[in-house]
Amino acid sequence: MTSPPLIDHANLGTRLSGPPLSRWWGYFPELRRDTLGFLLRCQAYGDVVKLPMGRVVELFLRQPDAAMYVLNHPADVKHILVTNQDNYQKGPVPPVESRIFGQGVLHSEGTTHHRQRRLFLPFFHGHQVTAYSGLITSTAHARVAAWYDGMTVDIGQEMAHLTLSIIWRLLFGQDLQADASLIRDAILVGQRLIKLQYDSFLASLTPLWIPLPRHRRFLRGFHVIEEILIQLIRDRRRNPTYRNDVLSLLLAAKDADGHPLNEREIRDELMTLLLAGHETTANALTWTWALLSQTESVWERLVCELNDVLGDRPPDAADLPRLRYLKMIWDESLRLYPPAWSLHTRAAHAEDRLPSGAILPPGSWVFISPWNLHRNPRWFPDPTQFDPERFSEAACQTRPAFTYIPFGAGGRRCLGESFAELEGLLVLATMASKIRLRLSDGRVIKPEPGMTLHPHVPVQMTVEQLRPLQTPTPWHQSTASDS
Ligand code: HEM
């Protein structure tokens, strides 16, 4: 006996509601006009919101009723990312994104993806990454030591340079020799192009070889980064010294047939980790500083905790379990401004019935957005308020799982989560024990969604030094003051 079909396709459109959209262009114009606001408005239409892609895409894909489904319920999120994850794979990405990341672990699928994760998981395991504590605190300390009382800093830039130097050491076991600004500029151009291609169906169809100024700018910049990576791979191959870094790990790795990885495969993994591993953390830190500067009482409590636990010494991974309030601040900042504001869309292989009751036809595209989930008043009352108490142990227990997913979930959960958390917490602890940062101008800072969620303008902050930075005291002075 065959089981009855789960779904009456003809009725699907009438069962799931969504906002009014353009018949021809579907949700693209709305998404482009106000991506973040549009997603929040979708909360009003139920647990699963159907967003038709419009006639143009339907004709192009030859797929009638092509639609994106936005998920607002944590049980559905769990179902797609974990319980029934084998039914889904990442949807197609715009050409510029494929060009940047290639077949690195962020974009690969199936057995290749499993093999890549198996290779990286031990390296990024929680215990293993604590070995990088010293690197993180000393790099953060060096950065803050260059600041002086009353100085104005562009905190986004500062955090990006800081996290770039840290990830560079993780990848290559050496300091960044090239011009960091060159790399950052190329990344920013790439970010803008990715966003444009996600927002505009036409832009996503325009191949990169068409010599538009934006394509040329992007290709020029990325060529510079690629050249640097390739040079580092070749140098290490010529002088095969083993180091505890990602490049050594990749050079020792074997593919499915037992052959070493080729240059292209190694380049893809390095580029993936370089981008996934510093832009996200830099934005998380930038948002956290901005939020802290707005909330005096939170900053005061943090400083007390840092004084109690650390006194005058620099933090270490072993201190983190006792820096509980710091962790609550970090979590709340990732809730309000999740750097990965949207997961990659997922495409369904077979029809699927979600726990909320909605039925997704084969070929459906699913949109899961941490930004949207984290600001749902059902799970986070008064969602725009910055309130670290939401992450006290007691408060966490009252919320269903999968309402908070800054690092994704399931088989594609962020590989660098432990490292990102270690880095974020140690940078905050190192700097907040020495200085205080205040927003320099009264400008409103709005989140802008690109490859990551970043502030729409540079965030200028003024440095207020709390303690003189420890330049080692000459021995005769310390004995004199002791007596
Ligand atoms: C606060 C910082 C970070 C955030 C919020 C973040 C968030 C995420 C999210 C949400 C995903 C899942 C994407 C999806 O399912 O579509 C992801 C994947 C990934 N992240 Fe992170 N990430 C951060 C830092 C890092 C760092 C530091 C690294 C590396 C050193 C890293 C490497 C990766 C990689 C390789 C993947 C792909 C995993 C896979 O598909 O198997 N991330 N990240």
Side-chain angles (χ1 to χ4, degrees), residues 401-412:
F402 294 87
T403 44
Y404 178 70
I405 52 160
F407 293 98
R412 305 220 63 135

Side-chain angles (χ1 to χ4, degrees), residues 134-147 158 162 165 430-431 434 469:
L135 162 70
I136 296 167
T137 44
S138 60
T139 317
H141 186 272
R143 195 99 212 154
V144 80
W147 298 351
E158 291 285 332
L162 175 66
S165 343
T430 306
M431 292 188 160
K434 303 287 172 222
L469 288 158

Side-chain angles (χ1 to χ4, degrees), residues 96-97 100-101 183-198 208 214 217-219 221-222 225 275 450-451:
V96 65
E97 195 167 331
I100 295 174
F101 295 98
I183 297 181
R184 290 289 313 149
D185 289 349
I187 292 171
L188 290 179
V189 173
Q191 277 234 27
R192 263 180 245 128
L193 194 52
I194 289 184
K195 175 77 172 89
L196 178 72
Q197 295 196 338
Y198 266 109
L208 283 173
R214 60 173 183 262
R217 251 197 323 276
F218 161 73
L219 291 170
F222 258 82
I225 306 186
L275 294 196
M451 204 155 68

Side-chain angles (χ1 to χ4, degrees), residues 40 43 331-340 369-377 379-381 383-384 390-391 402-407:
L40 295 182
Q43 289 172 359
D331 287 344
E332 172 68 345
S333 168
L334 288 176
R335 179 190 72 81
L336 268 173
Y337 297 103
S369 160
W371 159 268
N372 193 26
L373 285 167
H374 295 181
R375 286 178 178 242
N376 192 324
W379 326 111
F380 296 100
T384 56
R390 296 181 205 269
F391 288 91
F402 294 87
T403 44
Y404 178 70
I405 52 160
F407 293 98

Side-chain angles (χ1 to χ4, degrees), residues 93 95 118 197 205 279 332-333 376 387 389 425 447 453-454:
V93 293
R118 270 205 308 279
Q197 295 196 338
L205 293 180
E279 182 70 20
E332 172 68 345
S333 168
N376 192 324
D387 178 10
E389 286 303 325
L425 297 178
L453 191 67
H454 55 92

Side-chain angles (χ1 to χ4, degrees), residues 105-106 113 117 124 276-277 280 340 343-344 346 406-408 412 414 416 420:
V105 59
L106 188 66
H113 178 249
R117 271 192 86 93
F124 285 106
T280 40
L343 304 189
H344 278 112
R346 304 299 204 259
F407 293 98
R412 305 220 63 135
C414 176

Side-chain angles (χ1 to χ4, degrees), residues 196-256:
L196 178 72
Q197 295 196 338
Y198 266 109
D199 287 352
S200 154
F201 186 61
L202 283 184
S204 76
L205 293 180
T206 320
L208 283 173
W209 54 260
I210 295 192
L212 300 175
R214 60 173 183 262
H215 289 175
R216 288 218 303 270
R217 251 197 323 276
F218 161 73
L219 291 170
R220 236 186 352 255
F222 258 82
H223 187 66
V224 172
I225 306 186
E226 264 170 344
E227 288 281 286
I228 298 172
L229 298 188
I230 299 288
Q231 201 50 54
L232 284 163
I233 299 170
R234 290 183 185 164
D235 285 352
R236 185 73 68 87
R237 274 210 163 119
R238 268 197 300 273
N239 298 305
T241 45
Y242 183 82
R243 298 189 196 164
N244 186 21
D245 59 19
V246 173
L247 181 53
S248 287
L249 181 80
L250 290 166
L251 286 170
K254 300 275 188 287
D255 67 14

